[in-house]
Amino acid sequence: MTAVHRFRIGPHEVQVYAEPSAASRAGAESFAERARAAVEANGRFSVALSGGNTPRAMYAMLAEEPLRSRIPWQGVHLFWGDDRCVPPAHPRSNFRMANEAFISRVPIPPENVHRMRGEIAPARAAEEYEQKLVDYFGFGVPRFDLIHLGLGGDAHTASLFPFDDDLLRERERRVRVALFRTLGEHRLTLTLPVLNAAARIEFLVVGGEKAKVARSVIRGALDPFRLPAQLVRPRNGELVWMLSRDAARELEG
Ligand code: 6PG
């Protein structure tokens, strides 16, 4: 998918697409391209998925031709950047959304789907997921081939919420329990050391309602505890923003 505009702002590579569907297409094509390259080079591809509403359209494209056949599903390993502490069939489950959008529609081996178990006690689920990361990546900080992120209206990403200083300062644990205060909802989230170890981070942000927060995060003054997405800075990786034109309208010029 061709961007209508590409530019850099500091560490951010910004790609602007005419429509939300074009931005989703770009994200899906990038997933396919990186999956093929990683499986060819290393026999497997590790990706952490985002949740919420934005990625649904992109995920659905992964289960449709031509991408469905292009992706080497046997080597794809799905993880989550965050999920809500709810059962997998719950309407608010990020796993459920992805499962409906593509996982249930593609030939990925079930053992390659590394779900956060939101149905058990949050602290236990965080420990269990920490172990899942060790089982796959070994010891040391996991380096995902790709981490897919969204951006909340309050500049949260994954479940790293503003002013949750203890969580935002976490440098040891890979998985933490977070609290989404608006709903009093517990969540599981990868921590910044994991996000910032990734080979590539892709933010997918669409809609005019995200224009202001996208500008604050990308072009605004550094204010990371108010704008947690500003803390996402892969040390040795790419930081890419795939924005629809309306989400980028306060960024350009
Ligand atoms: C979640 C997400 C979260 C999301 C943003 C944007 O569990 O909700 O991981 O970080 O990406 O809140 O959500 P929308 O795409 O629904 O605007």
Side-chain angles (χ1 to χ4, degrees):
M1 177 53 65
T2 309
V4 292
H5 195 179
R6 283 172 184 262
F7 51 95
R8 285 196 77 85
I9 302 175
H12 308 277
E13 179 192 327
V14 181
Q15 302 172 4
V16 182
Y17 295 89
E19 300 296 334
S21 58
S24 297
R25 170 67 57 188
E29 290 173 350
S30 176
F31 181 111
E33 182 191 326
R34 289 165 210 296
R36 286 176 62 84
V39 171
E40 203 168 299
N42 313 312
R44 62 186 196 173
F45 170 63
S46 57
V47 57
L49 301 177
S50 65
N53 299 312
T54 301
R56 190 190 301 270
M58 181 195 105
Y59 293 162
M61 293 173 185
L62 301 175
E64 289 148 14
E65 297 306 342
L67 296 181
R68 185 179 190 281
S69 305
R70 217 181 281 169
I71 295 169
W73 292 107
Q74 294 301 318
V76 173
H77 286 263
L78 301 177
F79 295 81
W80 273 261
D82 74 324
D83 210 341
R84 293 78 183 271
C85 292
V86 295
H90 191 284
R92 285 190 55 75
S93 163
N94 289 338
F95 165 80
R96 171 177 160 165
M97 183 272 279
N99 192 45
E100 286 175 351
F102 78 105
I103 299 171
S104 60
R105 303 166 57 207
V106 297
I108 186 168
E111 63 273 20
N112 289 20
V113 181
H114 308 283
R115 182 173 70 82
M116 291 175 159
R117 287 209 304 153
E119 66 272 30
I120 66 175
R124 175 82 196 87
E127 284 166 18
E128 180 184 88
Y129 212 67
E130 191 106 16
Q131 186 55 51
K132 274 191 179 181
L133 294 175
V134 171
D135 293 347
Y136 184 89
F137 291 99
F139 291 102
V141 185
R143 181 171 169 79
F144 280 91
D145 294 309
L146 174 63
I147 296 183
H148 198 269
L149 293 173
L151 181 67
D154 61 355
H156 82 262
T157 191
S159 284
L160 301 169
F161 295 107
F163 310 116
D164 191 340
D165 294 14
D166 176 53
L167 179 53
L168 297 176
R169 293 183 196 281
E170 178 63 60
R171 291 296 175 268
E172 297 307 319
R173 289 162 59 188
R174 278 74 164 134
V175 186
R176 286 277 303 263
V177 178
L179 178 65
F180 179 39
R181 296 182 195 289
T182 314
L183 296 180
E185 175 183 76
H186 282 107
R187 302 222 184 148
L188 299 169
T189 187
L190 296 184
T191 58
L192 283 159
V194 179
L195 302 187
N196 288 333
R200 182 177 171 95
I201 296 262
E202 288 181 4
F203 279 94
L204 177 64
V205 186
V206 301
E209 71 279 6
K210 296 283 179 77
K212 212 171 262 320
V213 66
R215 177 188 171 77
S216 301
V217 169
I218 296 171
R219 213 189 258 283
L222 272 183
D223 190 357
F225 284 86
R226 185 171 67 84
L227 305 168
Q230 288 188 333
L231 290 166
V232 177
R233 285 281 190 289
R235 274 187 314 286
N236 180 19
E238 300 165 298
L239 177 56
V240 179
W241 293 77
M242 295 173 170
L243 305 174
S244 61
R245 200 198 297 269
D246 50 358
R249 70 179 174 224
E250 297 205 16
L251 259 186
E252 297 179 277

